[in-house]
């Protein structure tokens, strides 16, 4: 069967681990050349590259801090140098320190905004000139169900995800003239290695209460579940979807 | 109600701020007016309760709280009215303008909530109102960083409704349509949503300052005692108009 993204080039931020690694692998499996950055874990990034190449795919990783304009520009330039263009941008890199409002310092606030919102903005702006030249240009922003429902464990994380919703919709409107579709995916709980937060994410929830209900049917998602939606949106089949917010949580938000 | 109650309007230059203040004062509430984005960060009136502190600065807001407590006592209502529509395209906005739009609209909400929300939570009583925009859901097509910031404020409100709600402080968002004074700021060349709005809004007029003041008054009243974490759209039904082309 023909691969859906043969010859396309994708940039995935934070693509070396967790959901990002699932997305990078899926894109490469569909024939895309994948460049992804890492910020804190070069070993996992190199392992993801090795996995992709071991499966016959093409991938490259490099250090880049999405909060730094010059480093974002360098990452985009590297993708163009290696693969002669960019067709797909997947914004995924995020910081989630798991703090309440009384724990956040002003510096923490500035930092999470600079990564989670500023990083998405910066990458979109830097990739735009190359997406304009693509035959199948796509921007896919990985957000969270906490962009629409509070998580009760990180006030600013949710703020950034609420911001990504509008960043996505505005970009979808503004970039429509270039044929670029822009969508966001809102993952629920995904089974990955634990994130960078120092405190327990469910400290305000009564997780010790007796379970009256059998919720065993609610399964945590896997990175592949998010990657499947990325592939669909990135492919020709997703060409008429733009400005959408797609919840991928197995229906957990309905509970 | 209103005896010895104090409200802070975080940006008194909002076109609805005067009507809000007049309404609250008519109910016996002391209104503190703040004017951010001014260079002289001190009391700007000899008589009255006007200040000029930057709402996105933690140091400024701590200082403002101290001054209000010293001059007037506790703050009972935080009314976040910072609403700076910075017209810019995602394609070519500068880093500085992007950050400015986020700071003015979102960081100001976060910092004022952090300072005054905590103050009210310590008393176990208070109300926060974020006077926002329907563009926390509907894109503007002309001011992307503004709507991005307001999307963040919407989620701030929901998190705060949980966190400070447990401590007796309610938080709600008013998603107002644009007022006449904001018409030009939201004029878009790629979205006709705000064009000729009076013919699309079922109630055939734009939102007025008094409409906003009425909702603010209601939200801080006992009649709204169980309303927490709500998004109250105040647009006469404007967003129901779909498929404008």
């Amino acid at each position: 069967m023909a691969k859906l993204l043969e010859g396309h080039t994708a940039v995935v931020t934070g693509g070396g681990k967790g959901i990002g690694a699932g997305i990078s692998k899926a894109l490469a499996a569909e024939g895309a050349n994948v460049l992804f950055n890492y910020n804190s874990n070069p070993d996992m990034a190199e392992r993801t590259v090795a996995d992709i190449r071991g499966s016959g795919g093409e991938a490259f990783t490099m250090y880049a801090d999405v909060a730094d304009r010059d480093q974002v520009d360098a990452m985009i330039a590297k993708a163009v140098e290696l693969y002669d263009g960019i067709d797909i941008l997947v914004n995924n890199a995020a910081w989630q320190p798991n703090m309440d409002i009384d724990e956040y310092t002003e510096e923490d606030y500035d930092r999470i905004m600079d990564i989670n919102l500023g990083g998405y903005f910066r990458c979109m702006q830097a990739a735009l000139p190359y997406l304009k030249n693509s035959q199948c240009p796509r921007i896919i922003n990985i957000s969270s169900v906490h962009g629409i429902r509070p998580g009760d464990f990180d006030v600013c994380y949710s703020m950034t995800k609420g911001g990504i919703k509008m960043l996505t919709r505005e970009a979808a409107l503004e970039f429509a003239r270039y044929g670029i579709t822009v969508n966001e995916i809102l993952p629920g709980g995904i089974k990955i290695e634990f994130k960078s937060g120092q405190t327990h994410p469910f400290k305000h929830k009564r997780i010790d209460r007796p379970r009256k209900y059998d919720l065993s049917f609610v399964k945590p998602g896997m990175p592949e579940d998010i990657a499947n939606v990325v592939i669909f949106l990135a492919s020709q089949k997703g060409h008429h979807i733009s400005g959408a917010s797609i919840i991928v949580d197995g229906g957990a938000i309905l509970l | 109600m209103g005896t010895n109650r104090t409200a802070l309007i975080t940006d008194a230059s909002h076109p609805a701020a005067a009507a809000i203040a007049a309404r609250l004062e008519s109910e016996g509430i002391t209104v503190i007016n703040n004017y951010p984005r001014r260079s002289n960060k001190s009391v700007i009136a000899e008589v009255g309760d006007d200040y000029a502190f930057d709402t996105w600065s933690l140091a400024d807001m701590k200082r403002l709280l101290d001054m209000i407590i010293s001059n007037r006592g506790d703050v009972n209502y935080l009314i976040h009215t910072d609403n700076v529509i910075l017209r810019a395209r995602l394609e070519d906005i500068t880093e500085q303008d992007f950050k400015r739009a986020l700071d003015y609209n979102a960081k100001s909400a976060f910092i004022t909530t952090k300072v005054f929300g905590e103050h009210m939570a310590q008393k176990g009583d208070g109300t926060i109102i974020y006077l926002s925009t329907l563009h926390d859901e509907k894109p503007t097509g002309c001011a992307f960083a503004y709507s991005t910031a307001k999307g963040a404020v919407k989620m701030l409100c929901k998190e705060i409704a949980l966190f400070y709600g447990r401590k007796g402080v309610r938080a709600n968002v008013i998603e107002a349509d644009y007022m006449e004074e904001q018409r030009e700021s939201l004029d878009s060349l790629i979205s006709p949503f705000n064009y000729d709005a009076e013919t699309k809004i079922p109630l055939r007029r734009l939102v007025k300052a008094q409409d906003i003041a009425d909702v603010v008054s209601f939200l801080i009243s006992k009649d709204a005692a169980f309303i927490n974490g709500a998004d109250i759209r105040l647009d006469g039904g404007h967003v129901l108009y779909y498929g404008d082309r």
Side-chain angles (χ1 to χ4, degrees):
Chain A
M1 203 163 86
K3 294 180 176 180
L4 288 171
L5 303 172
E6 195 72 61
H8 293 209
T9 293
V11 172
V12 183
T13 66
K17 61 179 183 176
I19 292 174
I23 292 168
S24 296
K25 290 175 185 176
L27 288 166
E30 287 295 343
N33 306 309
V34 181
L35 182 142
F36 60 85
N37 73 310
Y38 61 84
N39 182 261
S40 60
N41 201 325
D43 293 341
M44 288 192 78
E46 291 296 348
R47 265 208 305 279
T48 300
V49 168
D51 286 348
I52 289 172
R53 289 184 176 165
S55 302
E58 170 54 27
F60 182 87
T61 190
M62 61 186 286
Y63 173 84
D65 179 356
V66 294
D68 185 301
R69 164 70 63 172
D70 291 340
Q71 292 183 36
V72 166
D73 287 346
M75 174 178 70
I76 295 299
K78 189 68 180 178
V80 174
E81 175 198 323
L82 287 173
Y83 306 124
D84 202 27
I86 297 172
D87 305 286
I88 304 157
L89 169 66
V90 182
N91 277 313
N92 167 73
W95 183 46
Q96 182 187 327
N98 295 335
M99 294 190 292
D100 290 321
I101 190 167
D102 55 352
E103 298 168 314
Y104 260 95
T105 66
E106 190 171 2
E107 291 72 29
D108 292 328
Y109 174 92
D110 288 338
R111 176 166 154 74
I112 195 167
M113 285 289 158
D114 219 15
I115 296 170
N116 295 17
L117 262 183
Y120 281 37
F121 149 69
R122 244 166 248 120
C123 290
M124 281 200 267
Q125 203 177 50
L128 182 62
Y130 308 102
L131 292 168
K132 283 180 181 177
N133 293 327
S134 167
Q135 297 301 306
C136 191
R138 302 283 190 263
I139 297 174
I140 300 161
N141 293 330
I142 307 302
S143 184
S144 163
V145 288
H146 302 308
I148 55 174
R149 276 278 283 275
D152 212 9
F153 57 82
D154 191 326
V155 55
C156 293
Y157 181 77
S158 295
M159 284 184 75
T160 61
K161 299 305 181 183
I164 287 167
K165 173 192 72 185
M166 291 315 300
L167 190 61
T168 300
R169 292 177 190 179
E170 292 280 6
L173 190 56
E174 185 177 324
F175 297 164
R177 77 187 78 174
Y178 305 127
I180 302 169
T181 70
V182 189
N183 295 286
E184 65 165 350
I185 298 173
L186 284 58
I190 300 294
K191 202 169 181 180
I192 56 174
E193 70 279 14
F194 209 70
K195 294 189 177 178
S196 52
Q198 298 301 310
T199 53
H200 197 286
F202 302 116
K203 60 186 171 179
H204 299 302
K205 295 190 180 186
R206 291 188 54 206
I207 57 173
D208 57 337
R209 72 190 188 284
R211 285 278 177 139
K212 181 178 174 183
Y213 309 101
D214 176 11
L215 298 179
S216 58
F217 64 92
V218 183
K219 309 290 186 199
M222 301 298 289
E224 298 75 35
D225 296 316
I226 307 305
N228 288 337
V229 182
V230 170
I231 297 301
F232 172 70
L233 290 173
S235 74
Q236 189 55 38
K237 293 178 181 178
H239 77 104
H240 201 53
I241 301 173
S242 196
S245 302
I246 302 174
I247 300 170
V248 184
D249 75 339
I253 202 166
L254 305 175
L255 293 174
Chain B
M1 77 183 290
T3 307
N4 299 321
R5 311 289 281 178
T6 297
L8 168 64
I9 295 177
T10 62
D11 185 352
S13 66
H14 188 289
I20 294 169
R23 178 62 180 266
L24 298 186
E25 283 169 345
S26 75
E27 296 171 0
I29 296 168
T30 298
V31 175
I32 308 290
N33 289 302
N34 182 59
Y35 295 86
R37 304 182 302 282
R38 294 192 183 189
S39 55
N40 182 13
K41 295 179 180 181
S42 61
V43 178
I44 60 171
E46 287 285 324
V47 180
D49 292 298
D50 292 355
Y51 297 87
F53 289 100
D54 287 339
T55 41
W56 60 95
S57 160
L58 184 59
D60 269 27
M61 287 300 97
K62 283 181 172 175
R63 190 166 163 223
L64 177 60
L65 175 62
D66 289 344
M67 290 180 77
I68 294 172
I69 289 173
S70 173
N71 295 336
R72 284 290 186 174
D74 293 331
V75 174
N76 307 96
Y77 312 117
L78 171 65
I79 304 167
H80 178 264
T81 52
D82 295 58
N83 193 74
V84 180
I85 304 166
L86 196 152
R87 292 176 60 83
R89 299 191 310 172
L90 203 164
E91 183 167 358
D92 47 23
I93 192 174
T94 64
E95 284 269 346
Q96 292 75 17
D97 280 349
F98 179 71
K99 181 168 173 23
R100 200 155 56 94
L102 288 188
D103 283 355
Y104 287 171
N105 291 293
K107 188 176 179 183
S108 64
F110 175 79
I111 293 291
T112 56
T113 301
K114 183 174 172 66
V115 173
F116 292 93
E118 184 62 33
H119 166 72
M120 292 188 287
Q122 285 172 3
K123 311 292 176 190
D125 175 48
T127 302
I128 300 171
I129 297 169
Y130 301 100
L131 175 51
S132 189
T133 167
L134 56 77
H135 292 297
D136 63 2
E137 287 287 336
K138 165 76 183 71
T140 61
C142 64
F144 85 96
Y146 165 70
S147 59
T148 296
K150 293 304 185 184
V153 171
K154 183 167 184 165
M155 286 314 300
L156 170 67
C157 177
K158 293 185 191 310
E159 292 287 356
I160 291 308
L162 284 169
F163 187 72
Y164 285 137
R166 299 186 184 99
K167 301 176 181 182
V169 178
R170 296 183 293 113
N172 295 288
V173 166
I174 299 173
E175 296 174 309
D177 203 349
Y178 71 88
M179 298 171 64
E180 181 60 48
E181 294 88 338
Q182 299 162 318
R183 186 192 292 269
E184 281 188 24
S185 301
L186 287 166
D187 186 34
S188 168
L189 294 175
I190 57 174
S191 169
F193 178 75
N194 285 327
Y195 176 71
D196 200 17
E198 290 92 330
T199 65
K200 301 172 190 168
I201 297 170
L203 300 183
R204 299 291 184 196
R205 67 170 175 86
L206 300 183
V207 68
K208 296 176 181 173
Q210 198 56 51
D211 298 319
I212 294 171
D214 287 344
V215 177
V216 169
S217 172
F218 170 68
L219 284 174
I220 67 171
S221 74
K222 286 181 180 169
D223 291 343
F226 208 58
I227 299 178
N228 187 31
D231 311 316
I232 298 177
R233 188 167 293 146
L234 188 62
D235 71 341
H238 189 179
V239 296
L240 304 178
Y241 195 91
Y242 171 74
D244 197 354
R245 61 177 80 191

